[in-house]
Amino acid sequence: MSTKIQAVRGMNDILPDEAQWWQAYEATVEAWLARYGYRNIRMPLVEHTQLFRRAIGEVTDIVEKEMYSWRDELNGEDLTLRPEATASLVRAAIEHNLLYDGPKRLWYSGPMYRHERPQKGRYRQFHQYGAEALGFPGPDVDAELIVMCAALWRELGLTDVRLEINTIGAPEERARYRADLIRHLEAHQDALDADAKRRLHSNPLRVLDSKNAAVQAVVASAPSLMDYLGEASLAHFDGLRALLDAAGQAYVINPKLVRGLDYYNLTVFEWISDRLGAQGTVCGGGRYDGLFAQIGGKPAPATGFAMGSERLIALMHDAGRAPRARLPDAYLVAQGEGSYAYGFRVAEALREAGFAIVQHAGEGSFKSQMKKADASGAWTALIVGDDEMRADEISFKPLRREAPQVRMARARIAETFAAALARLRD
Ligand code: ATP
Ligand code: MG
């Protein structure tokens, strides 16, 4: 026997029982996005590596160590499996001039790939839904994105997901802050870990969200970015806060919240749950007004968020709202010469009328077929044997209620079956 081949570490199969939760989640999310006027867009899973280097930034976890990149020797191209989709979406918006007739609200979903250490809530293939509002400069649409998330948590039955917000200002403001922050960090070099030391000069803002306690102590006494913001940045933040207050949306301002990606400006936010252990952030987002220009497009303001499906579905499990599976309306058992083909015509007529019918496949005694029918969870069994075929009928046997077995004519089977099923379910 040859050796067993297993799934790649950090990339999971989603088996049918679990997929049921995913389908419930996806249906809820997609209906919710439509209610806010967001339209679907689909980008390839593979992009030029340069796109992510430029959009996300060289000195970020993703670009430094998490990307699945390779050289396609056939075309001499450097390619990457997308680690996130905002860069692809903006690339697509520029390439197809999507903003030619005004701003757009868009959503995407699908798998993302990051070479991280797999653990609970952190995988190498994971899934996101994201919403992006392109072409809107004001805090109103930032507030819209945040408030709509809150509506989704309610709809998914998630009660304790809390909101943290911050503003990281404009690039010039950050540059001035950066210089002072570097001075502060340099003065406390000895307390910094290797990561923080490395980032000190390349991306010092990332030191702010270090998880190392000693580094956090240095950060606690660092200057605050808020003190470097000009009037316009402060007005944007005040505007956002006023709208959140008006909507009754609670939040905490976390001045250390800078997000992992370079492309943000002004508003940044995260939704966090304490029920997921270390991997508690279920959704992160913010404004990225510089990204269009950074990847070669005409400047355009933009704002959005991405949320992690694995973490949100874990919270749905935690909340215990099990999605109801659709059980078959009937399991069709057939015995005798020509009974399979006869049964198949019956099953097709019923499926066309919208019923879920599982037809027994393969051999099997009547008794073993009926056992399968029972195990399938189906409401009823439909039975085709020599007798039934001779009379051009089907036997209908309720499986979940005490009720007699009856014969039904094959003509108008959909109507007869519908009526009988409705009586059973009453
Ligand atoms: P983290 O700090 O947890 O690494 P991040 O800042 O890298 O998160 P984003 O790039 O903002 O995450 O992605 C948005 C959301 O996608 C996260 O809040 C999380 O819910 C989810 N996510 C990110 N990386 C993973 C992963 N490796 N596995 C599962 N979900 C993930
Ligand atoms: Mg990460």
Side-chain angles (χ1 to χ4, degrees):
M1 222 168 73
S2 31
T3 51
K4 199 157 62 179
I5 298 177
Q6 292 186 317
V8 174
R9 190 164 128 79
M11 307 208 181
N12 302 315
D13 299 308
I14 300 167
L15 303 181
D17 281 346
E18 177 62 12
Q20 213 169 281
W21 289 79
W22 282 71
Q23 287 183 299
Y25 167 75
E26 288 162 356
T28 304
V29 170
E30 290 178 23
W32 159 78
L33 286 161
R35 282 205 301 280
Y36 285 84
Y38 285 74
R39 298 184 69 205
N40 187 213
I41 178 169
R42 299 172 187 224
M43 294 79 63
L45 299 191
V46 174
E47 297 276 358
H48 291 287
T49 303
Q50 202 51 34
L51 172 67
F52 301 116
R53 290 190 168 278
R54 264 209 256 161
I56 299 171
E58 294 286 347
V59 194
T60 54
D61 284 347
I62 291 181
V63 172
E64 279 182 338
K65 56 189 185 200
E66 294 175 359
M67 294 204 300
Y68 285 91
S69 300
W70 69 97
R71 172 144 258 248
D72 181 340
E73 295 294 348
L74 291 177
N75 300 316
E77 292 176 314
D78 291 312
L79 303 178
T80 293
L81 266 178
R82 67 178 185 196
E84 55 106 53
T86 300
S88 312
L89 185 141
V90 170
R91 195 258 319 131
I94 295 168
E95 196 167 327
H96 304 285
N97 198 19
L98 284 186
L99 300 190
Y100 82 99
D101 62 346
K104 293 281 176 307
R105 289 177 169 88
L106 303 172
W107 69 266
Y108 62 81
S109 72
M112 308 295 157
Y113 300 86
R114 298 184 192 177
H115 199 281
E116 313 198 54
R117 193 169 67 77
Q119 50 197 294
K120 187 167 171 287
R122 191 176 294 286
Y123 310 100
R124 290 179 174 171
Q125 176 183 281
F126 64 98
H127 299 76
Q128 290 181 336
Y129 271 88
E132 315 282 4
L134 308 181
F136 300 92
D140 48 357
V141 79
D142 295 348
E144 170 184 295
L145 287 162
I146 289 174
V147 168
M148 74 189 262
C149 286
L152 179 63
W153 315 147
R154 281 195 300 276
E155 205 174 329
L156 292 172
L158 314 182
T159 44
D160 34 25
V161 186
R162 63 192 154 80
L163 173 64
E164 292 188 356
I165 64 171
N166 190 25
T167 177
I168 55 172
E172 321 77 71
E173 294 157 358
R174 272 206 307 283
R176 273 190 292 121
Y177 172 68
R178 190 175 180 275
D180 286 358
L181 179 62
I182 289 176
R183 256 192 298 280
H184 175 84
L185 294 175
E186 277 174 343
H188 298 84
Q189 281 258 16
D190 298 345
L192 301 183
D193 62 5
D195 250 5
K197 277 192 184 126
R198 199 164 39 82
R199 293 201 155 137
L200 202 166
H201 294 282
S202 53
N203 192 355
L205 259 71
R206 289 304 316 281
V207 177
L208 295 181
D209 65 358
S210 162
K211 294 187 171 98
N212 180 304
V215 176
Q216 266 310 317
V218 176
V219 164
S221 61
S224 170
L225 176 51
M226 204 67 85
D227 298 331
Y228 291 71
L229 300 188
E231 230 170 275
S233 295
L234 288 172
H236 191 102
F237 195 50
D238 290 344
L240 171 68
R241 293 181 56 188
L243 288 165
L244 293 179
D245 292 339
Q249 176 59 55
Y251 56 84
V252 169
I253 298 173
N254 175 0
K256 306 284 186 279
L257 180 63
V258 291
R259 309 276 306 122
L261 316 183
D262 269 4
Y263 55 58
Y264 288 102
N265 69 309
L266 294 171
T267 308
V268 291
F269 62 89
E270 284 191 353
W271 289 94
I272 303 155
S273 166
D274 294 323
R275 297 176 167 274
L276 293 171
Q279 268 57 251
T281 306
V282 293
C283 174
R287 184 160 278 285
Y288 49 96
D289 294 336
L291 186 55
F292 272 75
Q294 207 169 305
I295 57 180
K298 215 165 71 194
T303 179
F305 62 75
M307 51 196 202
S309 299
E310 283 79 1
R311 295 182 192 175
L312 283 165
I313 291 167
L315 285 180
M316 286 170 70
H317 277 280
D318 188 71
R321 283 230 200 141
R324 273 210 275 157
R326 177 168 190 187
L327 294 171
D329 297 302
Y331 188 98
L332 196 146
V333 312
Q335 248 202 345
E337 181 74 30
S339 66
Y340 183 84
Y342 182 97
F344 190 64
R345 277 190 292 159
V346 173
E348 283 294 281
L350 289 171
R351 289 170 184 141
E352 217 163 284
F355 295 106
I357 311 294
V358 176
Q359 181 168 11
H360 184 82
E363 298 298 305
S365 67
F366 178 72
K367 202 169 148 205
S368 82
Q369 290 193 36
M370 284 306 291
K371 254 196 201 147
K372 292 249 165 56
D374 208 37
S376 76
W379 271 85
T380 66
L382 290 172
I383 302 161
V384 175
D386 293 329
D387 263 12
E388 282 87 353
M389 285 190 285
R390 256 194 304 279
D392 207 11
E393 291 178 344
I394 301 102
S395 289
F396 171 96
K397 182 179 167 61
L399 295 174
R400 315 284 155 206
R401 291 274 149 75
E402 213 46 68
Q405 178 170 328
V406 294
R407 286 284 193 99
M408 291 176 175
R410 190 167 63 86
R412 299 169 54 83
I413 182 67
E415 287 93 325
T416 322
F417 180 79
L421 205 60
R423 274 196 301 278
L424 269 186
R425 283 175 172 169
D426 245 4

